[in-house]
Amino acid sequence: MTSVLQPRECKVTKKPQKSYGFYLRIEKDTAGHLIRNVEKNSPAEKAGLKDGDRVLRVNGVFVDKEEHAQVVEIVKNSGNSVVLLVLDDASYQKAEKEGVNLEELGQKVSTGQQQEQQSPPPMANGAITAVPQPQLCYLVKEENGYGFSLKTTEGQKGLFIVELSSQGAAAKAGVQNNDRLIEINGKNVENDTHEEVVKKVKKSENHVMLLLSNEETDHYYTSQKMVLSKESASLRLLPLKPRLIEIQKGKNGYGFYLRMEENTGDHVIKDVDSGSPAAKAGLKDNDILVAVNGEQVDGLDHESIVGKIKHSEAKTTLLVVDKETDAMYKLAQVSPFSYYYKAQDPTPAKMEERVELHTEQKVNHKPRICKMMKGPSGFGFSLNMIKNKPGLFINEVRNHGPADTAGVENNDFLVEVNGVNVMNESYDKVVARIQDSGDRLTLLVCSKDAYKYFQGQNIPITASMAD
């Protein structure tokens, strides 16, 4: 029976900062991680990938039953080359019907080829965990500066973050003690002197964008012979993000104009009609256009972009940023489209399927701010973690205790302590923060489902999302 099922191993290699030329997605009522929209003459097509293929293994690791966000993350973090073991659509459906063990099937094909592949991503309790990534952090200067110092470490490249102020701008942006500094405002500073780096930070005035790595990330990238750069960075800590807006065409069109600004070359939304489809969808005057129906507009002439919007039959999907968000991405020298590329798995043309997939998840997605006063027996909850898994969660919430009264629930994930993001901090450090907070404590928490959703969509969880 299984002899006709022949998985194919496709090694896809791309040029730095270019795409592989395919989308990896999940679809409603369809099993597996699907290859879609294979671009002509792309690395994906040349490697033999075909529309409808199901991904069984990534770099030798069986992923068919893994969460989609994890699979996307592994592919995304494979550098410029990824090895995919795939099965065509008809064979996959046949295997599903006959109850074929796809893991065994894939293993037979992959035997002897493991040595050529990159080492598999980290595992915890048999499950794939997120691959370490450098972080982009956007710091907004406060009265006391940015709230960190820099030091050199003998025998190690670059400068390291030290003396991080717990309530300072850097801590609020997600910077951690002992993070290694790679870039400032999009420029590599690994070979700069302490004096040169300090000068660059000061020159940046009130905002600075840092690309940072830590010991785990450095080790992983060195072992994989991969180069640390902003292209591989996680954007989840950035406070501002692009907006994906889907507009249904009305009787009189979409209800806005698009103008090109001569001095910047930006394509800017103007004259959004009150009550129009564009206004109802959330489009605003002076929004800057990044992409139309999943295609980046950078490099396209104005007429081509207007034509793409006009020729959308019933609806158009626009990726836009406001001026503040645009300035933040320009500081990092990263396109806002890269946030979209990392956060969105489906193609924009199939947005309705993505919305259907996540319909149930949209319930209770808002994080909650919980303020409490210490009682005779403390705050009335315990903090827990699963070994080798990211995130701290709350349990043993005492009935009618301070935490319970403040709205904290068992299995809530902890996001912030007294306004400081603690999602990447160690257990001991977070416990110390809580103990040092005196009689008053403010937590930002979210449910387990919300945490999974936000992580999967690469959306930073912030207090501004709470009611």
Side-chain angles (χ1 to χ4, degrees):
M1 279 283 195
T2 60
S3 58
V4 293
L5 301 177
Q6 297 185 336
R8 307 179 328 272
E9 190 169 74
C10 303
K11 185 171 183 179
V12 194
T13 303
K14 68 180 180 69
K15 289 180 180 172
Q17 299 178 34
K18 299 288 182 185
S19 75
Y20 287 118
F22 71 94
Y23 281 92
L24 184 62
R25 39 180 303 167
I26 47 173
E27 292 177 359
K28 196 166 186 272
D29 301 325
T30 306
H33 305 284
L34 286 118
I35 300 289
R36 289 295 191 207
N37 301 77
V38 178
E39 293 169 19
K40 200 164 183 179
N41 298 320
S42 65
E45 188 188 57
K46 288 173 184 172
L49 287 179
K50 292 182 170 37
D51 192 76
D53 280 345
R54 304 302 201 285
V55 177
L56 303 183
R57 288 178 180 270
V58 180
N59 297 334
V61 177
F62 186 68
V63 296
D64 183 58
K65 302 302 177 194
E66 293 295 336
E67 283 187 25
H68 189 64
Q70 295 281 29
V71 183
V72 171
E73 193 78 1
I74 299 165
V75 174
K76 195 175 71 185
N77 286 294
S78 284
N80 296 318
S81 187
V82 64
V83 181
L84 303 177
L85 187 72
V86 299
L87 196 59
D88 67 86
D89 182 36
S91 298
Y92 187 89
Q93 289 188 45
K94 181 179 169 69
E96 286 273 296
K97 275 183 193 166
E98 293 176 1
V100 173
N101 185 328
L102 291 171
E103 188 168 7
E104 283 180 9
L105 178 74
Q107 220 154 8
K108 287 169 191 167
V109 175
S110 291
T111 305
Q113 295 166 337
Q114 294 290 320
Q115 280 71 28
E116 293 179 22
Q117 298 169 4
Q118 296 177 12
S119 58
M123 308 284 281
N125 303 326
I128 297 167
T129 61
V131 170
Q133 286 176 276
Q135 298 278 2
L136 273 170
C137 295
Y138 180 60
L139 284 62
V140 180
K141 198 174 196 176
E142 296 181 347
E143 222 174 299
N144 299 324
Y146 287 114
F148 70 92
S149 298
L150 292 164
K151 71 159 187 177
T152 52
T153 301
E154 199 176 336
Q156 289 185 281
K157 194 178 182 182
L159 293 163
F160 292 80
I161 303 285
V162 290
E163 295 172 20
L164 192 68
S165 166
S166 63
Q167 299 292 326
K172 287 174 185 172
V175 178
Q176 304 280 312
N177 267 318
N178 299 316
D179 277 349
R180 186 171 69 85
L181 187 56
I182 302 166
E183 289 183 6
I184 293 175
N185 297 338
K187 297 282 193 315
N188 191 286
V189 296
E190 288 176 287
N191 295 317
D192 286 16
T193 65
H194 187 281
E195 192 180 355
E196 286 169 335
V197 170
V198 169
K199 201 172 175 182
K200 282 177 183 172
V201 173
K202 282 181 177 171
K203 193 180 172 186
S204 192
E205 295 180 350
N206 296 324
H207 304 86
V208 68
M209 182 73 74
L210 306 181
L211 179 66
L212 301 161
S213 181
N214 59 22
E215 192 178 355
E216 184 190 8
T217 305
D218 278 344
H219 176 73
Y220 180 78
Y221 272 71
T222 304
S223 71
Q224 299 295 297
K225 297 183 174 64
M226 288 158 63
V227 178
L228 279 164
S229 70
K230 53 183 164 282
E231 284 72 35
S232 58
S234 167
L235 310 179
R236 67 183 185 82
L237 293 175
L238 296 183
L240 307 170
K241 50 189 181 290
R243 299 171 357 252
L244 193 65
I245 295 178
E246 191 175 276
I247 314 172
Q248 302 291 332
K249 192 181 269 186
K251 282 188 293 183
N252 302 314
Y254 293 113
F256 71 93
Y257 286 96
L258 189 67
R259 299 216 177 116
M260 184 172 168
E261 287 195 351
E262 292 297 326
N263 57 336
T264 62
D266 289 334
H267 304 277
V268 182
I269 306 294
K270 293 288 183 185
D271 303 324
V272 177
D273 295 335
S274 176
S276 67
K280 287 174 184 170
L283 201 62
K284 293 180 172 61
D285 274 2
N286 299 316
D287 276 341
I288 297 163
L289 187 62
V290 177
V292 177
N293 297 328
E295 186 178 348
Q296 202 168 356
V297 300
D298 193 28
L300 297 179
D301 63 74
H302 192 66
E303 287 70 28
S304 300
I305 298 164
V306 171
K308 285 180 186 300
I309 296 169
K310 279 185 174 172
H311 294 138
S312 303
E313 289 179 15
K315 64 181 177 182
T316 191
T317 304
L318 306 181
L319 187 73
V320 298
V321 288
D322 58 30
K323 287 195 172 179
E324 192 184 357
T325 306
D326 181 60
M328 183 191 76
Y329 277 89
K330 279 179 176 159
L331 195 61
Q333 297 186 22
V334 171
S335 167
F337 188 73
S338 59
Y339 179 93
Y340 167 83
Y341 171 74
K342 291 181 180 193
Q344 304 293 328
D345 305 328
T347 56
K350 298 284 184 183
M351 279 298 291
E352 68 279 3
E353 288 173 5
R354 185 176 71 84
V355 172
E356 285 169 14
L357 283 169
H358 294 304
T359 304
E360 293 177 356
Q361 292 179 312
K362 287 193 174 177
V363 183
N364 296 329
H365 267 179
K366 290 185 176 179
R368 306 185 312 280
I369 296 171
C370 302
K371 297 181 178 182
M372 63 199 83
M373 290 279 293
K374 191 183 269 185
S377 308
F379 291 113
F381 70 91
S382 295
L383 201 57
N384 216 330
M385 67 177 291
I386 297 171
K387 194 178 178 185
N388 297 327
K389 283 206 172 185
L392 296 165
F393 62 92
I394 286 164
N395 62 2
E396 296 176 23
V397 176
R398 200 171 62 250
N399 274 344
H400 309 302
D404 184 31
T405 308
V408 178
E409 296 175 7
N410 278 318
N411 297 317
D412 274 347
F413 270 79
L414 183 58
V415 181
E416 289 182 4
V417 174
N418 296 329
V420 178
N421 190 295
V422 297
M423 288 174 70
N424 293 316
E425 289 192 353
S426 68
Y427 176 85
D428 292 341
K429 193 169 180 181
V430 177
V431 169
R433 273 194 194 284
I434 293 169
Q435 287 172 344
D436 293 346
S437 69
D439 291 336
R440 293 174 182 270
L441 180 65
T442 301
L443 303 181
L444 182 68
V445 299
C446 67
S447 69
K448 189 177 179 181
D449 287 345
Y451 177 82
K452 276 187 176 176
Y453 172 76
F454 288 127
Q455 292 290 93
Q457 295 295 304
N458 232 349
I459 297 170
I461 307 170
T462 62
S464 61
M465 295 172 171
D467 287 325

